[in-house]
């Protein structure tokens, strides 16, 4: 099942806020509600919000009542900006809407309905390509996984974070399907718990052996020789190989590097943003502190009712901590600045 799809003029999303308790598909016909769904994390994960933004743009195209092509393109531009600003760290929504806008601007002879159809056609193509790209990445990523590996995985990078299959979790899934005996230590991934809610749910479906660990246990497993590899995804990779990913990835990578455990981000090339020199230029989302505070333990709220909190949603893992970056075009090794540019130039 796809995380996001278009059906008869309606965008359908798996509501990831409700998993693992309930598998619910929600429907959208208004691009503004799609922007809210991205912000509220009904859908999340960089490639999934990219594909969703593409279908959101298609909704905007069909909803526009402009009578000129120029007016339609300007309505699309406004919708594109709203969809992209819903979550700032992932480059994917911007990459998707930009690709669609460039495509529709290419042919000035198109009429209104042809332009609308082209927006949808391109959004659908991007969604389909996402699945194919994930399968390619999984082939490369699984070649780095050996029989007997114990892999620490951060956040959720599986089918739910993409249109289908996944990035880092896709590589793990393929290694499992190749018959390799692997075990996954699932970082619970505070504060939204994408690990214990979503990754654990997916691993259950695939029959992959796992245990959930709290994020702060990773250092123990790495130092004691009880973890052999670290895999995660990314929301954006800068030109020098610095990686923006879910908060906690930096500490995990530091502990891995200190113990000579390899660290592998698995990312589609569309997540690599050569326009940004390094990770300091990547915008990091800060979310509502209630996501940190609204947690209960044994039925009682944990934090004092007046407590304040910070909720930084992503961090930067400097490229010096990264062993290699897995993409659909191959495994990229340091020096990243040179090698990322080289792979992206080879369109
Ligand atoms: O806040 P989220 O759940 O959208 O964060 C998702 C991640 O950090 C993933 O690791 C990232 O998007 C890569 S997933 C293919």
């Amino acid at each position: 099942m796809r995380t996001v799809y278009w059906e008869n003029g309606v965008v359908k999303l798996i509501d990831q806020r409700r998993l693992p308790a309930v598998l619910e598909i929600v429907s959208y016909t208004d691009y503004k509600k799609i922007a809210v769904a991205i912000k509220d994390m009904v859908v999340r994960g960089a490639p999934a919000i990219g594909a969703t933004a593409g279908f959101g743009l298609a909704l905007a195209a069909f909803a526009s009542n402009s009578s000129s092509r120029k007016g339609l393109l300007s309505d699309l531009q406004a919708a594109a900006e709203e969809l992209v600003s819903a979550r700032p760290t992932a480059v994917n929504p911007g990459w998707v809407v930009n690709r669609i806008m460039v495509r529709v601007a290419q042919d000035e002879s198109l009429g209104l309905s042809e332009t609308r159809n082209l927006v949808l056609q391109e959004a659908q193509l991007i969604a389909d390509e996402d699945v194919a790209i994930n399968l390619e990445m999984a082939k490369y990523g699984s070649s780095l996984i050996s029989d007997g590996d114990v892999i620490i995985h951060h956040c959720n990078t599986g089918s739910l974070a993409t249109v289908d299959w996944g990035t880092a979790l896709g590589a793990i899934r393929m290694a499992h399907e190749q018959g390799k005996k692997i075990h996954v230590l699932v970082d619970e991934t505070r504060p939204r718990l994408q690990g214990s809610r979503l990754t654990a749910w997916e691993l259950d479906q695939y029959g992959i052996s796992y245990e959930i660990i709290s994020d702060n246990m990773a250092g123990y497993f790495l130092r004691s020789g009880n973890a052999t590899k670290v895999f995660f995804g990314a929301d954006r990779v800068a030109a020098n190989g610095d990686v923006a990913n879910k908060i906690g990835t930096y500490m995990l990578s530091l502990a891995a590097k200190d113990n000579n455990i390899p660290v592998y981000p698995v990312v589609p090339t569309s997540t690599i943003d050569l326009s940004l020199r390094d990770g300091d230029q990547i915008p990091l989302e800060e979310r509502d502190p209630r996501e940190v505070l609204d947690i209960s333990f044994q039925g009682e709220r944990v934090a004092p009712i007046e407590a304040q909190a910070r909720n930084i949603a992503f961090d930067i893992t400097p490229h010096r901590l990264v062993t290699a970056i897995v993409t659909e075009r191959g495994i990229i090794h340091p020096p990243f600045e040179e090698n990322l540019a080289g792979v992206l130039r080879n369109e």
Side-chain angles (χ1 to χ4, degrees):
M1 179 191 290
R2 289 194 173 194
T3 299
V4 46
Y5 56 97
W6 177 276
E7 196 173 79
N8 303 324
V10 177
V11 179
K12 306 264 188 173
L13 300 176
I14 293 179
D15 189 342
Q16 300 191 32
R17 298 167 307 178
R18 304 207 62 200
L19 285 169
V22 180
L23 176 57
E24 189 191 359
I25 311 291
V26 279
S27 300
Y28 294 87
T29 51
D30 176 354
Y31 86 84
K32 285 184 174 289
K33 293 201 171 133
I34 290 276
V36 175
I38 293 173
K39 192 169 184 49
D40 291 349
M41 297 174 67
V42 173
V43 60
R44 34 66 49 204
I49 60 175
T52 306
F55 286 131
L57 205 59
L59 286 179
F62 290 110
S64 165
N65 50 20
S66 178
S67 54
S68 69
R69 188 175 134 84
K70 193 165 168 242
L72 173 58
L73 292 187
S74 135
D75 286 347
L76 285 176
Q77 191 55 43
E81 282 162 25
E82 196 166 331
L83 289 161
V84 170
S85 65
R87 294 201 71 195
T89 300
V91 71
N92 308 60
W95 179 86
V96 165
V97 298
N98 187 47
R99 174 168 151 180
I100 296 174
M101 293 302 284
V102 168
R103 181 75 187 89
V104 295
Q106 258 164 8
D107 190 347
E108 287 174 24
S109 67
L110 290 182
L112 284 175
S113 88
E114 287 164 319
T115 305
R116 290 189 177 99
N117 287 331
L118 187 57
V119 174
L120 174 58
Q121 194 183 307
E122 194 67 12
Q124 186 62 58
L125 184 64
I126 289 169
D128 294 341
E129 280 176 9
D130 182 66
V131 186
I133 285 169
N134 290 340
L135 285 165
E136 279 307 300
M137 279 190 294
K139 281 187 209 152
Y140 288 112
S142 62
S143 74
L144 297 169
I145 298 173
S146 314
D147 206 42
D149 266 340
V150 177
I151 300 170
I152 301 189
H153 175 275
H154 197 61
C155 197
N156 171 266
T157 67
S159 290
L160 293 167
T162 59
V163 175
D164 201 355
W165 193 265
T167 60
L169 206 62
I172 291 169
R173 181 175 169 188
M174 192 165 283
H176 168 76
E177 291 192 359
Q178 289 162 350
K180 294 174 188 166
K181 283 203 179 20
I182 48 177
H183 183 71
V184 184
L185 294 172
V186 176
D187 271 358
E188 61 179 355
T189 318
R190 280 281 291 142
R192 298 273 310 209
L193 300 165
Q194 290 93 329
S196 28
R197 294 192 306 110
L198 307 176
T199 299
W201 182 76
E202 285 199 44
L203 290 171
D204 271 338
Q205 326 258 321
Y206 311 145
I208 300 175
S209 155
Y210 73 91
E211 289 161 307
I212 296 171
I213 58 170
S214 65
D215 302 345
N216 50 5
M217 289 179 195
Y220 163 80
F221 284 100
L222 290 161
R223 187 166 182 279
S224 58
N226 287 307
T228 54
K229 274 162 200 157
V230 168
F231 272 74
F232 49 81
D235 279 66
R236 202 184 292 234
V237 176
N240 71 343
D242 289 354
V243 175
N245 190 49
K246 179 52 52 194
I247 195 76
T249 306
Y250 174 41
M251 290 203 310
L252 174 62
S253 305
L254 272 174
K257 177 78 176 178
D258 196 42
N259 291 285
N260 296 316
I261 305 291
V263 170
Y264 297 117
V266 183
V267 307
T269 48
S270 56
T271 298
I272 301 167
D273 185 352
L274 293 185
S275 75
L276 302 186
R277 194 182 55 245
D278 58 37
D280 290 344
Q281 298 188 312
I282 300 177
L284 297 179
E285 177 184 15
E286 181 158 5
R287 295 181 60 84
D288 191 326
R290 278 178 297 185
E291 292 182 347
V292 174
L293 294 170
D294 288 354
I295 183 160
S296 302
F297 183 67
Q298 296 179 343
E300 299 288 346
R301 181 189 157 96
V302 171
I305 204 76
E306 299 298 335
Q308 307 288 306
R310 295 289 302 273
N311 187 11
I312 315 295
F314 296 92
D315 60 25
I316 303 295
T317 297
H319 62 274
R320 69 186 157 81
L321 303 178
V322 172
T323 309
I325 299 175
V326 180
T327 73
E328 77 277 18
R329 297 196 201 163
I331 301 169
I332 305 176
H333 294 273
F336 290 121
E337 188 151 356
E338 200 178 312
N339 293 342
L340 287 172
V343 165
L344 260 72
R345 259 197 315 269
N346 269 337
E347 296 280 349

